[in-house]
Amino acid sequence: MEDAMKNLSVEDEPTASPSEPRKQKKKKVLLMGKSGSGKSSMRSIIFSNYVAKETRRLGATIDVDLSHVKFLGNLTLNLWDCGGQDAFMENYLAQQRQHVFSNVGVLIYVFDIESRDFDRDLLTYRSIIGALQQFSPTASIYILVHKMDLVVPNQREEIYNDRVSLIRGKSDTFNPIPFATSIWDQSLYKAWAEIIHDLVPNLDQIEKHLGSLGKIIQAEEVLLFERSSFLVVSSWTSAIGAQNPTTDRFERLSNIIKNFKQGTSKFTGTPKSAEQFVILEIKLKVFSMFVIKFTTNTYLAVVLPPGEERFNSALENCKIALKEFEDLDSPAKKGSDRGATSSET
Amino acid sequence: MPLLYTGRRRTKLDRKYNGPARQGPVRHISPAQLNLERVYEQNRLNSQKKDVAKVPEPAPGPAAKGKPRLLLMGQRRSGKSSISSVVFHKMPPNETLFLESTARIQKDSMHSFMDFQVWDFPGQVDFLDPSFDLDAIFGEIGALIWVIDAQDEYLEAINRLNSTILNLQPSYPNINIEVFIHKVDGLSDDYKLDIQRDIMQRIQDELSDHGIENAPINYHLTSIYNHSIFEAFSKVIQELIPHLPTLEALLNDLCRSCRFQKAYLFDVLSKIYIATDSSPVDMPSYEICSDYIDVIVDVSEIYGWARPSEYIAQLEGEPWNKKLEDQVACKDAESAIVLTDMKRPIMLREVNKYLALVAIMREGSFEKMPLVTMNVETVVAGLTEVFEITKQRK
């Protein structure tokens, strides 16, 4: 039986067609918002493996904090964390206007839900939108209404909807995608996973391959995690897996494993950003699951029905399929020229 | 006093016990005795069924109706409720700031491998007041945990602890007294030890002034912000387990045969370890094991939903043609993780509803996993047997 399973492979998939050459300049991801709204905190949690309470140590961001975040092979996020104090804001909008707002791929704008002067926040947002309209009219915008944990639970929905409709009114021709977030739960992972999802090139290919892999190994669910941030980049869910009542499971998994990585790094004495484990097997009564180190920049999680043979053959098959995914992850190695910049959505 | 000399965990079933027969209002039951009495009672009832005419004598001592009980006491605002919330209710430590002060005795039953009761005792209640039924409070107690706030003036707390011990010693000499020197996070190591030494000295002096030597007192440095509180509870609970040496011997054998670095038997719910092998306990390995349990519990919460029956039927049909239970190698949960570069794999195996065996393996032993699994299987069978013997049957 296992041999039969192994003979099936994902090779019958057509390989990715080369797209436009990647000579263009890397697009920026701008992270903006009022001072103290939590921009640097969320950046540290997502990309630098901080836990929520460690963000208390962070000081104010002075001017622009530039960082290149390596993500999925040769996709580098050119992340601009812009200090939010008024003096800096004026500076961005005046002297550095072109420098900051040209060639922007994505603008992530953070609103503090606790802000006492929401009208002023809107005004700043309006002028940012103006500048963006002028230099990068094709950029996509994400609105994070942050610190939701500070609002009484039964009022959250109402206040959030209220804020979002006001923000939409000020967004000109852009169509911002709003999220309610908090660093204290998984909502932050959900928002960022969706943002990242839109940034990854040749995602269609990856998703297609994941689907065929999932079908072959008879999985309930297959998830592809980015290595350093442990965000779900891509996923495939079978008809059965889709009946799972836990709808926020991807974010929760990210959260669980990220928290565990804190512990393992303390135990092994390695930096948090390093690879913390190579394989995790869980065999329980109703399901079995494994998470393996997959390509250079990803981890693969597979949820299967119980059964020893099924589990082992699936594990072997995933190792075979690895070759196919390696190319999709880092096409530069092959010399092909797939778009590696943050693409417009 | 002869009673004191007997020390703790010596019961009248123990030959060394030379105190007066414990009957009448004073009811001390050590857990070992409790279990022996249960077994005795069982046997008695069984033989009663077989032979109605010949009825053996009832078990010596009072009937074992209660569960072994842990009592949390201390001055108010010393952190008793925080401790019980963090350890038994999985409350995040930083949320304990919002706990109200406890106004009445909070009884908490912990449904675990042994049935524990944790009584959270309000700090302001003077239980030595004659209106309190001392016997009702201390009658079946296994251990008295006295919490002292290390970041506060502790002289008053020590005085109360001393008077409590002096009051309890004559009537309940077998109660383990565990002093938690609490809130030591943020204190330097030297300072912590100074405080511990100071507190120990003061208690010892006071007790020996009253002619009590070698009182059964243990000291623990604890904080809810790290794993030290779990560690301390583990030690407290281990004192109450009658078959601890057997469990330890089993784990030792396992560690030797599988070349494990460290093996723990965990209570999954509270993440207290109830037994470990005899190599010294180091904090990092305990922490990693307890975090690992968290991961598995959390993941199973996400994916452990009940699958529809048609789906199960399909899985059991072609091409497997086997019941799902027969397709798996192990009926209970098992899991393994390999940390960086094949170094130090960690394995977990469910023992029963409440307990899990977690072991840190040596480098490169993941390839021998099948062998390890087999050994673990045998040990788990042994552990189950040990618990089966001491379990109360209906």
Side-chain angles (χ1 to χ4, degrees), chain A residues 1 5 53 56 184 218-221 223 238 240-246 248-250 252-253 256-257 259-260 262-270 274-287 289 303-310 313, chain B residues 93-94 225 227 261 282 284-288 291-296 298-308 311-312 314-316 319-320 322 324 327-344 346 350 360 366 369:
Chain A
M1 175 48 61
M5 298 286 294
K53 69 175 177 220
R56 290 203 188 113
W184 299 99
Q218 302 182 336
E220 286 179 7
E221 194 151 73
L223 306 172
S238 73
I240 285 296
Q243 293 176 24
N244 190 336
T246 323
D248 57 352
R249 54 187 182 276
F250 301 166
R252 278 168 73 168
L253 268 181
I256 291 165
I257 296 178
N259 280 330
F260 183 56
Q262 304 289 331
T264 55
S265 86
K266 215 157 85 188
F267 180 67
T268 55
T270 48
E275 279 151 12
Q276 290 299 342
F277 63 93
V278 281
I279 182 165
L280 165 63
E281 300 177 348
I282 300 177
K283 296 172 193 168
L284 301 180
K285 259 184 207 128
V286 279
F287 75 97
M289 177 183 185
V303 181
L304 294 157
E308 209 70 19
E309 292 166 54
R310 206 180 272 118
S313 48
Chain B
N94 42 2
Y225 291 96
H227 289 76
Q261 206 173 339
D282 58 328
S285 71
Y286 169 73
E287 283 174 20
I288 195 77
D291 287 351
Y292 185 41
I293 290 179
D294 266 346
V295 168
I296 292 168
D298 289 345
V299 169
S300 65
E301 196 186 324
I302 297 177
Y303 287 106
W305 53 287
R307 270 60 170 178
Y311 177 57
I312 307 265
Q314 184 200 330
L315 288 173
E316 286 172 351
W320 312 97
K322 251 193 250 177
L324 216 47
Q327 293 183 28
V328 295
C330 168
K331 297 269 175 289
D332 304 309
E334 53 178 351
S335 171
I337 186 170
V338 181
L339 301 182
T340 39
D341 302 329
M342 299 308 270
K343 272 185 200 160
R344 291 195 269 193
I346 304 175
E350 185 184 5
I360 296 178
F366 191 64
M369 202 58 200

